[in-house]
Amino acid sequence: MVPYLQSRPLLVFYLLALAISWLIWSPLWLPYVGVDAVPWLPYQHGWGGLGPMVAAGLTTWWLAPRPVGQRLWRSLWQTKPLRWTALAITLPAGWAGLGAVIVRVAEGYWPDLSTLGRSAEFPELGVMGFLIYNMVFFGYGEEVGWRGFLLPRLLERHPPLRATLILSGFWAIWHLPLFAYRPGYMAMDLGGVAGWYFSLLAGAFLFTWLYQGTQGSLLACALFHGLTDVVFLADYGTGSMMLYIGVLVTLSGIAVLIWYSWHRAGPVSRS
């Protein structure tokens, strides 16, 4: 069994990512299937976001040569090229600003941008606390796994378009327990789920573009992921902001898909 697993690091990583995240989330989704459970961690949902990162670390430690682990560690703090890191920071802010303009034009009023960076779910965290929460649990927590471990290995075997499509499927399945306890997910009908996946797929294209542009910087990917969550989840006083920002993310992903030279882009070195 061990030699079988040693030759299949992607399988080991993904099964670990699912097992860790779904187990941590279990007190939240078990009531959906009729099993009484009580959360046993503060910020239980956030801790589950660390599953891909922990899985990547364990799989790298067990199956990868030491230089691979060292490159993965260095990529966590890689800031250059700075223009791409700056793009990772400014693009989510641009979506929020453009979304506000759309609300003003379409609905005749400005959304409450003073709430940007604050969470109605965790009001005690404040702006900096909510940013750190998203950066740690969902920025680094997810991106060390999806873009740090999985994407470079897929890019060794597939062109970027196909690699991103495959990754988006794995990424979507990882989210399945959220449909049993997160209100926004539970409210989706079939069309909403299709729209959610299409938005996730568009986001995956953006992450591949960003990952390749930064030559594998997980800092840039974590910043982009964390800031996008902050911008997307803020309470602007109107539910339409979330819709408009989601549309902008999707359009940005489509633009990258159209204009970026997917098949001519070479893979970056494995991190």
Side-chain angles (χ1 to χ4, degrees):
M1 183 65 176
V2 172
Y4 174 84
L5 294 177
Q6 287 177 331
S7 64
R8 292 166 174 80
L10 296 186
L11 176 64
V12 172
F13 157 74
Y14 192 60
L15 292 179
L16 280 173
L18 294 184
I20 295 167
S21 293
W22 291 10
L23 175 62
I24 294 174
W25 287 332
S26 61
L28 304 174
W29 59 260
L30 281 174
Y32 183 80
V33 295
V35 178
D36 292 333
V38 177
W40 32 266
L41 284 171
Y43 306 110
Q44 186 89 37
H45 174 66
W47 287 105
L50 298 177
M53 180 178 72
V54 176
L58 291 173
T59 309
T60 300
W61 169 75
W62 184 30
L63 299 178
R66 186 175 179 182
V68 173
Q70 291 173 337
R71 288 196 295 271
L72 182 62
W73 175 257
R74 288 195 299 269
S75 69
L76 298 178
W77 324 108
Q78 179 184 328
T79 58
K80 297 180 180 178
L82 289 174
R83 67 183 183 277
W84 281 93
T85 304
L87 181 64
I89 296 171
T90 58
L91 192 55
W95 288 331
L98 188 53
V101 172
I102 295 173
V103 170
R104 179 67 179 86
V105 172
E107 302 179 23
Y109 63 92
W110 289 102
D112 185 5
L113 292 178
S114 68
T115 63
L116 185 61
R118 298 184 183 275
S119 167
E121 184 177 7
F122 305 119
E124 73 279 5
L125 292 179
V127 175
M128 187 55 64
F130 190 51
L131 174 59
I132 293 172
Y133 170 85
N134 281 285
M135 275 288 298
V136 172
F137 289 128
F138 304 108
Y140 277 120
E142 291 194 51
E143 293 313 315
V144 174
W146 306 136
R147 259 55 67 167
F149 187 92
L150 184 56
L151 181 60
R153 286 159 178 80
L154 291 175
L155 287 172
E156 289 179 352
R157 307 178 185 183
H158 308 284
L161 174 58
R162 189 180 306 154
T164 303
L165 287 169
I166 294 170
L167 188 150
S168 72
F170 291 144
W171 196 13
I173 291 170
W174 177 80
H175 285 84
L176 284 180
L178 277 62
F179 288 90
Y181 71 90
R182 296 292 286 179
Y185 287 79
M186 296 177 71
M188 294 182 194
D189 57 14
L190 187 60
V193 172
W196 168 81
Y197 172 70
F198 193 71
S199 179
L200 182 141
L201 176 60
F205 289 137
L206 288 169
F207 274 112
T208 298
W209 175 61
L210 182 64
Y211 179 83
Q212 290 201 307
T214 60
Q215 293 298 299
S217 170
L218 294 182
L219 172 61
C221 290
L223 281 168
F224 183 61
H225 194 140
L227 288 168
T228 298
D229 283 351
V230 166
V231 164
F232 199 77
L233 296 175
D235 181 10
Y236 299 98
T238 170
S240 58
M241 268 290 281
M242 183 180 292
L243 172 63
Y244 295 139
I245 292 174
V247 170
L248 291 170
V249 172
T250 302
L251 292 176
S252 299
I254 292 173
V256 167
L257 176 62
I258 293 173
W259 296 107
Y260 189 68
S261 182
W262 290 100
H263 295 287
R264 293 198 299 271
V268 300
S269 59
R270 179 185 290 185
S271 53

